[in-house]
Amino acid sequence: MVSQKTLHVLGLSGGKDSAALAMYMRDNYPELDVHYYFTDTGKELPEVNVFIDKLRGYLGQEIIDPYEEVFTSNRKKKDFDYHLEQHKNYLPSPQARWCTIQMKLVPFELWVKKKIEEDGYTDVVSYVGIRADEPERDGFLTNSVTDEFISIKMPFREDGLNRQDIMNILQQADLFADDEEVKAYREIKIGCNGIEQSLPEELALQHFENRLEQIKQDPSHPYYESNIDAQTLFKVVSAMDEGKPGYYGWRSRSGCTFCFYQQKIEWLRLMEIYPKAFEEAKQYEKAAEDERTDGTFYWLGKGIPLVTLEDDDRKQSIIENHKKRYDRFVKKQEKQRIRNPLQSIIYSSDVDVMDEIYDQAEGGGACVTCYK
């Protein structure tokens, strides 16, 4: 009789839930030999890789990239442009998520298959960061590594953890405690009596204006090549102060810069903060227009190219619509807090509740591989 040998795996998307789950597994299930992995598409924001590095230090073990394990002899297969060419320049979309399949699921499957064949594993358990307050959400099964080998476990759901519990895990882990920006931010939050106090916005903005001058002289800084302003940097460092990745200061998701699940307001913020990434996304659309005769999928949807966001009236309309939606959400939360404080959502900014603002399921339908 062949003895069972289980491979425990946990995929990191760069998002807060999968990161919190990795921390939770390390701290609560130390007896399990969990293999953590992150599939770098090469199109993530620089802050994502910073966060993964911080998480690697907390876990005290390597976070492997399945691509590195199975495609070491052909690095071209990791390139988005390679897969775009293979799909005849048809951009990925919610209806055709070949980016998730080819750049994340396929290398994961091949890596798992290799582990089974070479290391004698008989079954695989994949841990997914779906929470107890996401009753309708399910984990993913892959294309070729079927349920004959793999099973999904959701420790957060099984242990009754909700969104606020995940925020608490991140806060307690405090991954950015040694970050220069966070340390400086915390110093100016402490008053003369040594008690933390609310930071006046004027003082905060002046501090971050000064910090920006130093950042622009430091090529190693994640925001060195960005067009970030003091107000956004304030939001970024505030998110890091709460244990979250910095991009949660202005963006609701990890993943590729041109992810088609992001809201229009997030595209505007990308255009402002990372104009090069925005231009790259526009060029992908332009290539699709020029080379396809059967119509073009645009990141914003049918017939709406990104170039439309550069119109000042269009931009203002998106900003005003987002503010109206956010204000409506805040009022709804205030009423809910009066009726039942336990059911209200605790959040720091619009980024924490982007899906609720737009009346969408969390992640907007995105696969947990990319979003969680």
Side-chain angles (χ1 to χ4, degrees):
M1 181 176 179
V2 179
S3 60
Q4 291 291 108
K5 186 179 179 182
T6 302
L7 174 64
H8 301 273
V9 298
L10 195 161
L12 300 163
S13 68
K16 59 183 183 298
D17 286 26
S18 61
L21 181 59
M23 299 171 184
Y24 187 74
M25 295 301 293
R26 191 210 76 161
D27 296 341
N28 293 275
Y29 298 92
E31 72 280 5
L32 296 179
D33 180 21
V34 181
H35 296 247
Y36 301 97
Y37 67 94
F38 169 69
T39 310
D40 181 4
T41 66
K43 297 298 180 179
E44 283 87 8
L45 295 166
E47 301 98 305
V48 175
N49 293 315
V50 170
F51 184 60
I52 294 297
D53 285 341
K54 294 283 187 181
L55 189 55
R56 182 181 289 110
Y58 183 89
L59 297 174
Q61 68 182 78
E62 187 59 27
I63 297 174
I64 71 102
D65 184 339
Y67 254 112
E68 303 288 348
E69 301 295 312
V70 298
F71 287 133
T72 53
S73 62
N74 189 351
R75 297 297 296 152
K76 186 177 182 182
K77 288 188 178 297
K78 188 175 183 175
D79 185 67
F80 176 82
D81 295 327
Y82 168 84
H83 291 291
L84 183 60
E85 181 181 344
Q86 296 301 301
H87 287 80
K88 303 186 187 310
N89 223 46
Y90 191 90
L91 295 175
S93 70
Q95 294 74 36
R97 291 182 287 185
W98 60 256
C99 50
T100 300
I101 294 172
Q102 296 299 328
M103 303 191 73
K104 289 184 178 285
L105 295 184
V106 167
F108 168 73
E109 294 169 357
L110 293 175
W111 172 58
V112 167
K113 184 178 180 182
K114 181 179 179 183
K115 297 290 286 184
I116 290 173
E117 293 175 348
E118 296 183 1
D119 298 335
Y121 289 103
T122 56
D123 63 315
V124 181
V125 178
S126 178
Y127 297 89
V128 180
I130 294 178
R131 308 182 307 264
D133 55 349
E134 298 179 288
E136 297 181 358
R137 198 156 194 180
D138 202 354
F140 66 92
L141 290 176
T142 55
N143 298 327
S144 59
V145 181
T146 66
D147 55 7
E148 178 184 354
F149 299 106
I150 191 169
S151 60
I152 303 296
K153 288 186 72 67
M154 307 175 193
F156 286 157
R157 178 177 291 177
E158 294 170 7
D159 296 347
L161 276 66
N162 59 26
R163 172 161 33 187
Q164 187 54 45
D165 293 316
I166 273 58
M167 296 297 189
N168 292 340
I169 290 172
L170 293 170
Q171 181 75 77
Q172 290 166 10
D174 203 9
L175 291 189
F176 295 96
D178 62 347
D179 183 271
E180 292 300 322
E181 307 297 343
V182 173
K183 286 194 295 185
Y185 175 66
R186 290 177 177 177
E187 285 178 5
I188 60 176
K189 282 203 305 180
I190 302 298
C192 297
N193 56 4
I195 299 175
E196 184 171 316
Q197 58 187 359
S198 178
L199 188 63
E201 185 173 353
E202 184 178 346
L203 176 61
L205 291 179
Q206 181 59 56
H207 165 75
F208 287 110
E209 286 284 1
N210 296 335
R211 281 299 303 146
L212 278 175
E213 294 181 10
Q214 299 175 48
I215 287 172
K216 293 305 180 182
Q217 298 175 22
D218 181 6
S220 66
H221 198 284
Y223 284 106
Y224 175 71
E225 293 188 345
S226 76
N227 195 31
I228 194 169
D229 60 18
Q231 191 169 36
T232 304
L233 184 58
F234 182 17
K235 294 177 181 179
V236 165
V237 178
S238 296
M240 294 162 64
D241 181 50
E242 296 173 355
K244 296 181 290 187
Y247 54 81
Y248 278 122
W250 60 275
R251 195 176 194 234
S252 67
R253 59 188 319 105
S254 57
C256 297
T257 56
F258 45 71
C259 180
F260 40 79
Y261 282 112
Q262 61 190 315
Q263 299 293 341
K264 293 182 180 67
I265 189 69
E266 295 175 285
W267 277 107
L268 283 185
R269 293 170 181 175
L270 179 71
M271 179 172 65
E272 293 169 359
I273 301 170
Y274 285 106
K276 288 184 180 179
F278 184 80
E279 285 299 319
E280 180 182 50
K282 280 172 52 183
Q283 289 306 311
Y284 282 130
E285 288 186 336
K286 178 62 176 172
E289 284 181 329
D290 293 344
E291 298 180 22
R292 292 191 64 83
T293 58
D294 56 347
T296 302
F297 168 78
Y298 295 106
W299 301 120
L300 293 175
K302 186 175 180 180
I304 313 175
L306 287 175
V307 68
T308 61
L309 297 183
E310 296 175 339
D311 178 79
D312 289 338
D313 291 338
R314 173 70 168 151
K315 185 188 303 183
Q316 190 60 34
S317 175
I318 292 172
I319 293 172
E320 290 175 356
N321 176 64
H322 178 72
K323 186 178 185 309
K324 288 178 182 178
R325 285 178 172 272
Y326 180 67
D327 290 344
R328 188 162 58 242
F329 171 81
V330 171
K331 289 181 180 179
K332 182 179 178 181
Q333 280 297 297
E334 288 174 350
K335 292 179 180 178
Q336 188 173 357
R337 190 174 295 112
I338 293 173
R339 295 193 195 102
N340 189 344
L342 296 178
Q343 290 186 359
S344 61
I345 299 174
I346 300 174
Y347 59 97
S348 300
S349 69
D350 64 338
V351 172
D352 290 333
V353 288
M354 191 67 75
D355 296 312
E356 286 85 354
I357 292 172
Y358 287 89
D359 300 318
Q360 293 184 345
E362 188 165 340
C367 174
V368 296
T369 308
C370 287
Y371 178 71
K372 299 292 284 185

